[in-house]
């Protein structure tokens, strides 16, 4: 296995999927606060209520998983999925276009294995 293939298994993508209630003004504020937190923590919107973040390794992914978990709103449904960069690259796009963060590793990083 070459270095590029090995490094693509170490690099992670963290995916946060959420469905939060937005019936009351309080729930709408909580939704906006949560969304703003995700953006400030380096996540980008992949689709509505689906955010992704590049993580350099499993430890980095664990750190951001803890941050996301710590700010969990009182109501709703939030899921966190951690996948390798290789698994992310294998995702099939059926309709639409890739977002800029989907190109980050392939175009901007040359990974060096220690």
């Amino acid at each position: 296995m070459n270095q590029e293939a090995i490094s693509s298994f170490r690099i992670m993508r963290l995916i946060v999927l959420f469905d939060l209630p937005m019936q009351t003004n309080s729930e709408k504020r909580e939704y906006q606060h949560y969304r703003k937190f995700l953006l400030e923590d380096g996540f980008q919107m992949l689709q509505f209520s689906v955010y992704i973040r590049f993580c350099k390794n499993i430890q980095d992914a664990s750190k951001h998983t803890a941050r996301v978990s710590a700010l969990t709103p009182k109501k709703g449904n939030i899921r966190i999925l951690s996948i390798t960069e290789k698994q992310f690259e294998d995702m099939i796009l059926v309709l639409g276009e890739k977002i800029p963060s989907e190109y980050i590793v392939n175009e901007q990083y040359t990974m060096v294995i220690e």
Side-chain angles (χ1 to χ4, degrees):
M1 195 182 286
N2 65 27
Q3 279 190 324
E4 185 178 322
I6 293 169
S7 65
S8 67
F9 283 101
R10 291 185 180 180
I11 300 167
M12 306 294 291
R13 293 282 181 142
L14 202 56
I15 304 171
V16 175
L17 309 100
F18 62 93
D19 184 15
L20 302 176
M22 292 191 4
Q23 303 301 318
T24 67
N25 287 337
S26 175
E27 289 172 342
K28 289 176 185 177
R29 276 192 301 276
E30 204 166 27
Y31 169 87
Q32 288 297 332
H33 177 71
Y34 193 71
R35 184 180 177 283
K36 183 178 177 184
F37 159 73
L38 290 174
L39 294 170
E40 289 174 351
D41 197 41
F43 285 85
Q44 289 192 328
M45 186 172 73
L46 181 64
Q47 292 181 204
F48 291 117
S49 298
V50 178
Y51 285 71
I52 60 169
R53 186 184 198 293
F54 171 82
C55 296
K56 61 186 174 190
N57 54 37
I58 192 98
Q59 292 82 10
D60 192 32
S62 295
K63 174 181 75 174
H64 290 284
T65 296
R67 287 182 186 173
V68 169
S69 298
L71 259 119
T72 300
K74 294 176 181 126
K75 297 179 182 176
N77 189 321
I78 299 173
R79 298 168 192 266
I80 303 170
L81 177 64
S82 182
I83 62 174
T84 64
E85 183 63 20
K86 177 66 176 144
Q87 290 168 324
F88 186 80
E89 289 172 2
D90 290 344
M91 181 172 31
I92 298 168
L93 180 61
V94 177
L95 179 66
E97 297 178 5
K98 290 185 177 184
I99 63 172
S101 68
E102 291 184 82
Y103 296 104
I104 289 176
V105 173
N106 293 337
E107 292 182 3
Q108 294 181 0
Y109 293 95
T110 302
M111 302 306 299
V112 178
I113 303 301
E114 298 170 358

